[in-house]
Amino acid sequence: MGKISPDYYVQDGVIPRTKLQYVLREIEALSQKHGYRVANVFHAGDGNLHPLILFDNAIPGQLEQVEALGGDILKLCVAVGGSISGEHGIGADKRCYMPEMFTATDLETMVWVRQAFDPKGLANPEKMIPTPRTCGEAARAKTQDFPGVEQF
Amino acid sequence: MVVLSSPSSKPSTKRIDWQAIAREFAQVVGKEGVVQRKEELLVYECDGLASYRQRPALVVLPRTTEQVSALVKICDRYAVPFIARGAGTGLSGGALPIENSVLIVTARMNQILEVDLANQRVVVQPGVINNWVTQAVSGAGFYYAPDPSSQIICSVGGNVAENSGGVHCLKYGVTTNHVLGLKLVLPDGSMVDVGGKVAEMPGYDLTGLFVGSEGTLGIATEITLKILKTSESIHVLLADFTSVEAAGQAVSDVISAGIIPGGMEMMDNFSINAVENVVATNCYPRDAEAILLIEIDGLAVEVAANSQRVEAICRQNGARSIRWPPIRRSASPSGKAVKPPSLPWAKLALIITCRMA
Ligand SMILES: Cc1cc2nc3c(=O)[nH]c(=O)nc-3n(C[C@H](O)[C@H](O)[C@H](O)COP(=O)(O)OP(=O)(O)OC[C@H]3O[C@@H](n4cnc5c(N)ncnc54)[C@H](O)[C@@H]3O)c2cc1C
């Protein structure tokens, strides 16, 4: 992508195969709304999308805007019944999107499992599971009472 | 509403005696196994998500399970967080250090410990590169199926932690479907074996739990992988469409027909033009709204029959042209020609397909 744009941001999400056409149209709309081109390449068979968002990291502020667009694409994946990661994992990058997919109970269950292995929290802390420190308000899982409410 | 707090994540304010920790590490792995000079630590300050950086306090390079265990025990005793790192190609910042942390890098744990062709399994250390597994067994007609685009540089340990996938995972499953057992060092430094050398094990599926845990449950120090027999025949079809909808429908129709291709990859118009702009292959129609690359593998008779059916499905969905680029089978047991076009190297692979056509 080098000749078109100096940098690109790879997003990774999963959608049900049958939603492909709809999701591509929506990604195009998001791309126009945010003002960044998105190139779509995917493992079509299993619905794993890798939208590449093109930008210029030398221009201050672009990375943050591109991350916001990437985040909107992830929320779109969840909205159609998909997932926020196909294969790249959650790590530090997507931990704050976990509450988009999982309820407070789901996340608490994961914390229990983690604590069973790692009661002192020394193994790769702060990754994968959102905490108030890393995600602020976003660490409060979305409750069923407010389905459409933006958390962050 | 419940506010989740992860076990650690309190910003540590206490003073940590890094010199003392480095000395203890050196007793385990030797001086040359400990990295503590600022300039040298820079290499480790980010992974593939390069926009985030944090220098680790220390980097340590063990060679054996026992050494990892001893190192983790030291971390436990000093209550300092540790982060496993394989090749550092992760794209979500999994191996990104946090403040005042130790990076335990598996680069020197790069031995293939056991190859058991008769039982189709291989035991590796976590720093073994994904591609090496296939290389080690391809002469005998086997391969390791999960093939992330980064397979020439990423480690099996990283694959396990991320439950990595690739083109051929559509048919063959992601990493978790190919890991039979693990030797683990738990966060208190104790060693444990989970799973085993056969697929069916009683009790909790701790192997399944660990795969995809992103280094948050401990460090994998030995991994038993399943290997597969290379397909007798592989065909790749390249179809171009004038609408993304049509290409998407063709994908759904192929699967509903009961055919699971070895891989099925799509690129949209913008991506096609990006490839053409950069390398001018002149083989992807710039006006195509989408192209599909479909790999069909299996027994020769099955591949012949399925190829015809897939071609017919693409035509029914309005494919303008269909080509069958030849594949050099010997060069790539897993059909490299259809590596996903999602990332630069993969894009190159796609171009190779084109050149051969
Ligand atoms: C160009 C490019 C293409 C890519 N294509 C794909 C793709 O097609 N599919 C895909 O799935 N991914 C892809 N990736 C992402 C990445 O390569 C994979 O996630 C890979 O598995 C990471 O391996 P690594 O050795 O680099 O791990 P690292 O980045 O070093 O670590 C990743 C995570 O694993 C943990 N970890 C590492 N080793 C161990 C261990 N022994 N025990 C416990 N935890 C451990 C780390 O703590 C971290 O959380 C791509 C990356 C790049 C740069």
Side-chain angles (χ1 to χ4, degrees):
Chain A
M1 299 284 160
K3 277 194 187 167
I4 303 162
S5 185
D7 299 288
Y8 63 84
Y9 177 89
V10 198
Q11 196 44 284
D12 169 42
V14 187
I15 55 162
R17 234 176 355 249
T18 49
K19 295 287 183 355
L20 190 64
Q21 288 95 323
Y22 169 76
V23 168
L24 287 178
R25 276 197 302 275
E26 290 296 303
I27 289 180
E28 178 55 30
L30 287 171
S31 150
Q32 284 178 7
K33 182 178 142 206
H34 288 260
Y36 290 93
R37 297 294 310 262
V38 179
N40 285 297
V41 280
F42 20 71
H43 305 312
D46 37 20
N48 184 191
L49 306 180
H50 287 307
L52 294 165
I53 309 171
L54 308 178
F55 73 109
D56 185 351
N57 206 8
I59 301 174
Q62 284 215 347
L63 177 65
E64 290 72 21
Q65 289 168 6
V66 160
E67 284 178 342
L69 167 55
D72 279 356
I73 294 175
L74 292 184
K75 290 179 194 172
L76 171 64
C77 292
V78 175
V80 299
S83 152
I84 59 173
S85 172
E87 50 189 26
H88 296 168
I90 301 300
D93 191 34
K94 293 187 183 173
R95 57 195 168 195
C96 303
Y97 292 95
M98 289 289 271
E100 291 288 326
M101 268 198 86
F102 297 106
T103 65
T105 315
D106 296 337
L107 289 169
E108 246 181 314
T109 309
M110 292 185 205
V111 172
W112 286 346
V113 172
R114 184 170 178 159
Q115 282 172 337
F117 276 75
D118 186 19
K120 296 189 189 167
L122 296 180
N124 210 2
E126 303 193 0
K127 305 293 169 61
M128 205 165 86
I129 295 168
T131 66
R133 186 171 118 77
T134 53
C135 300
E137 281 298 298
R140 297 167 191 275
K142 198 185 262 180
T143 63
Q144 293 307 315
D145 302 343
F146 309 101
V149 174
E150 281 275 349
Q151 298 280 326
F152 49 96
Chain B
M1 262 193 289
V2 184
V3 178
L4 296 158
S5 65
S6 105
S8 75
S9 68
K10 288 162 234 116
S12 73
T13 44
K14 64 178 188 307
R15 271 193 58 82
I16 302 163
D17 188 351
W18 290 110
Q19 288 305 326
I21 296 174
R23 273 195 303 275
E24 291 204 35
F25 281 172
Q27 279 165 16
V28 178
V29 294
K31 266 210 169 80
E32 83 293 345
V34 184
V35 181
Q36 48 181 334
R37 287 181 43 208
K38 270 189 178 168
E39 322 75 88
E40 292 174 54
L41 289 171
L42 277 181
V43 185
Y44 300 97
E45 67 178 6
C46 69
D47 60 5
L49 183 76
S51 43
Y52 294 87
R53 286 160 199 265
Q54 167 75 52
R55 199 185 304 152
L58 286 175
V59 170
V60 61
L61 295 140
R63 291 181 193 275
T64 64
T65 301
E66 290 68 26
Q67 288 181 352
V68 174
S69 162
L71 296 168
V72 169
K73 279 183 181 153
I74 296 167
C75 293
D76 176 68
R77 189 150 35 77
Y78 284 89
V80 292
F82 63 89
I83 296 161
R85 176 178 163 121
T89 68
L91 292 170
S92 59
L96 175 73
I98 64 166
E99 225 185 331
N100 290 319
S101 64
V102 170
L103 223 53
I104 299 180
V105 180
T106 62
R108 292 182 181 171
M109 303 180 78
N110 57 5
Q111 303 299 309
I112 295 179
L113 301 172
E114 190 186 323
V115 175
D116 178 355
L117 294 176
N119 290 301
Q120 298 198 201
R121 65 195 181 209
V122 174
V123 182
V124 300
Q125 285 193 300
V128 164
I129 301 302
N130 173 300
N131 209 20
W132 299 355
V133 181
T134 292
Q135 280 170 5
V137 296
S138 62
F142 292 92
Y143 73 109
Y144 175 60
D147 55 349
S149 314
S150 50
Q151 72 183 143
I152 54 166
I153 44 166
C154 65
S155 74
V156 175
N159 295 170
V160 166
E162 299 288 2
N163 192 14
S164 294
V167 177
H168 295 97
C169 295
L170 167 62
K171 182 167 183 178
Y172 296 101
V174 292
T175 301
T176 193
N177 304 107
H178 300 268
V179 177
L180 294 169
L182 295 165
K183 191 181 280 298
L184 304 177
V185 170
L186 298 178
D188 65 356
S190 54
M191 294 178 267
V192 60
D193 289 293
V194 299
K197 295 207 165 174
V198 294
E200 287 76 26
M201 297 292 282
Y204 293 126
D205 177 11
L206 297 177
T207 313
L209 176 61
F210 191 89
V211 177
S213 64
E214 302 194 13
T216 64
L217 303 181
I219 300 183
T221 57
E222 269 181 36
I223 302 156
T224 305
L225 299 171
K226 191 157 69 181
I227 50 170
L228 301 181
K229 197 86 182 129
T230 309
S231 296
E232 182 182 287
S233 172
I234 302 171
H235 275 184
V236 174
L237 168 153
L238 176 62
D240 87 271
F241 294 84
T242 52
S243 84
V244 174
E245 283 75 13
Q249 193 57 47
V251 170
S252 290
D253 289 354
V254 167
I255 307 264
S256 346
I259 302 167
I260 307 288
M264 185 143 58
E265 304 288 301
M266 192 194 287
M267 273 169 98
D268 70 359
N269 176 273
F270 188 42
S271 311
I272 294 166
N273 278 291
V275 172
E276 289 296 324
N277 285 348
V278 177
V279 270
T281 67
N282 294 321
C283 67
Y284 297 135
R286 282 180 178 272
D287 61 341
E289 281 304 317
I291 58 163
L292 284 183
L293 272 165
I294 306 176
E295 181 188 296
I296 300 146
D297 66 347
L299 296 172
V301 278
E302 178 192 356
V303 169
N306 281 343
S307 297
Q308 284 182 359
R309 291 169 69 201
V310 169
E311 179 166 349
I313 290 169
C314 288
R315 290 207 191 280
Q316 275 156 27
N317 282 289
R320 280 195 311 192
S321 71
I322 288 177
R323 274 180 286 162
W324 295 94
I327 294 194
R328 285 171 303 168
R329 296 228 17 237
S330 56
S332 165
S334 56
K336 269 271 169 43
V338 279
K339 294 300 289 174
S342 55
L343 291 152
W345 300 313
K347 198 174 66 195
L348 278 178
L350 194 74
I351 292 153
I352 293 165
T353 316
C354 229
R355 291 247 163 89
M356 292 193 302

